Amino acid sequence: MTETPTQAGLQSGGYGLRRDALSPMETLAQSVSTIAPTTTPAATIPLVCALAGNGTWLAYVLATAAILLVALCISRFARYSSSPGSLYTYASMILPPSLGATAAWSLLLAYIATGSSVIGGFYHYANLLLHDATGRVASGVFLALLVTAISIAIAWRDVKISARLMLWIEAVSVTLIMTVVVLVLVRHGLHLDWTQLRLHGMTGSGLRLGLVLALFSFVGFESATTLGAEARNPLKTIPRAVIQSALLAGAIFILCAYTEVLGLRTVGQDLGKSEAPMRVLASVGGVPVLGLLIDIGVLVSMFAGTLACITAAARVLMLMSHNGLAHGSLRATHARHETPGRAIMVTGIAAVAPVAVLAARGASGLDVYGWMGSLATYGFIVTYALVCVALPRYLRDHAAYRPGAQIIPWLAFAAMLLALFGNLYPVPEGPYGKLPFIYLAYLCAGMLWFFLQRRREEAPPTES
């Protein structure tokens, strides 16, 4: 019998995916695009400022430190193991099966909900630009379906094309933002903004709540690990990509947070109440045209984020299917494109469905961005915490355990617990207060599937 490409890939450990397809830069592009660094200065930093005020830069310093602790833990796993399941694989190798399943379902939700978040951001910025150009807006449902359909088509066609496209999109957008930031700092002069550095008016509770939102800016930094079966020399390139993406994003976000608060104050505006902060910042920098270009870049970055989230979620779902956590049909890969076509379709539909419903009910794109992003944060925090707990034993199993090896994992675990507590207390008002229950209901449904599958596997065969 002639062996199909999918069968060959499975037998070689590639799960039917294209082996050695991605260069180190293209692997880094997956993590960078899931973070979507262009969106944070435009959409997330103002939300953090509304809570932390002059402590916005400090919130991002602390968030960067916490994420680097988690990145160090993930990179240690990635030195010894590579697969499409990423963090789910790391947790399931060490932790009890039930906790491994918890990591799997949490990570799947995290990628899908992040995709939903950036789809909401996409239709917000698309209508913002359409209104400026024509005075009209398009249907949010139509725009959400459009960006998702294009993302599914590209992710289905070729993972290499996806990675290259995401890399160029983010590179251009971030370059424009950093140009504006530098111009604002140059116009301000060499002196420091002591109002910010002395944390004037900042409260402890505001910093804590702002830190939680700041962490959302980083979620998905580890998504290069989902390309373990497709990256070249994955045991080297993926650990580097995880650390590099966390460091790069942290540096950009800290600098942008400091500059945005400074820049908007110089024109008497409150960053926490601004709907188009980069346009204001571009005017302060003396290049207002860049404000429009950055908004276009944010729009395109939202598209890149949608593509990256579907790419990552599909690979997690595919491996879950291989391990019995999802329907067996989702393990299939396309014989010619060598991409998980069915899983891509399912995760794409799952990402756009809640956005389409919310848009049809009149929800703004920024509201959808905030709601779905916060829901995604629960999945990421739980998964990160489980991976950090699993690391010490994993190092022992690979004869890489050293004295003090538990310090970083437990610090990272503690940071994630504090972030989770910050999400839950005090109980958020409005829709945000319902998100923990939505996450728990979803997780219970996933775990019910897990226990039912285990019972079927353990049941004795019936006699004919």
Side-chain angles (χ1 to χ4, degrees):
M1 182 179 71
T2 303
E3 191 177 58
T4 67
T6 299
Q7 290 170 330
L10 285 170
Q11 292 177 2
S12 65
Y15 298 93
L17 301 171
R18 185 172 301 173
R19 305 283 299 179
D20 302 324
L22 301 175
S23 69
M25 190 61 69
E26 290 162 340
T27 304
L28 175 63
Q30 171 65 29
S31 281
V32 170
S33 297
T34 309
I35 296 172
T38 308
T39 66
T40 287
T44 311
I45 289 177
L47 297 176
V48 176
C49 183
L51 296 166
N54 284 315
T56 301
W57 67 271
L58 180 58
Y60 274 98
V61 168
L62 296 175
T64 301
I67 289 298
L68 279 175
L69 288 172
V70 176
L72 289 170
C73 295
I74 294 172
S75 67
R76 293 300 299 274
F77 274 105
R79 292 179 191 176
Y80 301 100
S81 172
S82 63
S83 81
S86 67
L87 306 190
Y88 153 48
T89 302
Y90 303 156
S92 62
M93 286 188 296
I94 299 299
L95 300 176
S98 59
L99 290 180
T102 299
W105 287 107
S106 295
L107 186 63
L108 180 64
L109 172 71
Y111 284 135
I112 289 175
T114 302
S116 300
S117 175
V118 291
I119 291 170
F122 178 88
Y123 82 72
H124 168 78
Y125 273 92
N127 274 329
L128 185 67
L129 293 169
L130 278 173
H131 186 268
D132 288 347
T134 67
R136 299 180 179 180
V137 296
S139 163
V141 176
F142 169 75
L143 291 172
L145 293 174
L146 177 65
V147 69
T148 306
I150 295 172
S151 297
I152 289 174
I154 295 174
W156 190 316
R157 176 66 180 83
D158 192 340
V159 67
K160 193 175 184 69
I161 292 175
S162 300
R164 286 178 175 175
L165 180 61
M166 291 185 291
L167 179 63
W168 283 108
I169 287 171
E170 289 298 338
V172 172
S173 301
V174 171
T175 298
L176 291 175
I177 289 175
M178 296 312 294
T179 299
V180 169
V181 166
V182 170
L183 288 173
V184 170
L185 292 176
V186 168
R187 289 175 70 93
H188 180 68
L190 296 177
H191 53 285
L192 297 174
D193 181 12
W194 289 106
T195 302
Q196 284 193 75
L197 296 179
R198 290 171 178 161
L199 306 175
H200 180 72
M202 186 198 77
T203 64
S205 60
L207 177 63
R208 176 175 56 82
L209 294 173
L211 174 59
V212 172
L213 281 173
L215 284 171
F216 176 63
S217 296
F218 292 87
V219 296
F221 77 95
E222 79 301 324
S223 66
T225 58
T226 64
L227 304 177
E230 296 154 283
R232 296 176 202 157
N233 198 4
L235 300 183
K236 289 186 177 180
T237 59
I238 290 176
R240 290 173 184 169
V242 169
I243 298 294
Q244 289 168 351
S245 60
L247 284 171
L248 180 64
I252 292 172
F253 297 159
I254 293 168
L255 185 59
C256 286
Y258 174 85
T259 307
E260 286 184 52
V261 173
L262 169 66
L264 268 73
R265 188 193 303 122
T266 61
V267 291
Q269 293 194 28
D270 182 358
L271 175 61
K273 298 178 180 178
S274 177
E275 294 185 356
M278 296 311 300
R279 290 193 183 186
V280 178
L281 208 65
S283 297
V284 174
V287 282
V289 67
L290 289 187
L292 174 62
L293 294 178
I294 288 172
D295 281 348
I296 295 172
V298 172
L299 175 69
V300 181
S301 181
M302 295 287 188
F303 160 69
T306 304
L307 175 56
C309 289
I310 292 173
T311 297
R315 281 148 180 80
V316 173
L317 182 59
M318 183 194 72
L319 191 62
M320 290 172 63
S321 176
H322 277 289
N323 293 340
L325 288 177
H327 195 276
S329 64
L330 297 173
R331 73 185 64 179
T333 53
H334 195 281
R336 180 159 56 93
H337 301 319
E338 299 176 276
T339 55
R342 291 180 183 175
I344 288 170
M345 184 65 67
V346 168
T347 53
I349 292 172
V352 76
V355 182
V357 171
L358 290 169
R361 294 172 62 88
S364 73
L366 286 182
D367 281 340
V368 174
Y369 178 84
W371 296 336
M372 299 307 297
S374 296
L375 180 61
T377 304
Y378 290 108
F380 279 116
I381 287 175
V382 170
T383 308
Y384 292 162
L386 290 172
V387 169
C388 293
V389 168
L391 180 59
R393 182 179 166 188
Y394 184 80
L395 294 176
R396 286 193 187 96
D397 292 347
H398 287 80
Y401 189 82
R402 300 289 183 272
Q406 296 191 43
I407 295 176
I408 289 179
W410 284 111
L411 283 175
F413 177 72
M416 293 302 100
L417 281 186
L418 289 173
L420 185 62
F421 178 77
N423 267 286
L424 298 175
Y425 183 83
V427 178
E429 297 179 357
Y432 288 94
K434 300 176 183 177
L435 297 179
F437 300 102
I438 294 174
Y439 169 70
L440 288 175
Y442 161 86
L443 190 58
C444 287
M447 295 307 293
L448 178 62
W449 172 276
F450 166 73
F451 287 118
L452 289 175
Q453 288 296 99
R454 293 264 297 192
R455 173 177 268 184
R456 283 197 201 99
E457 293 172 1
E458 295 171 357
T462 56
E463 295 182 2
S464 57

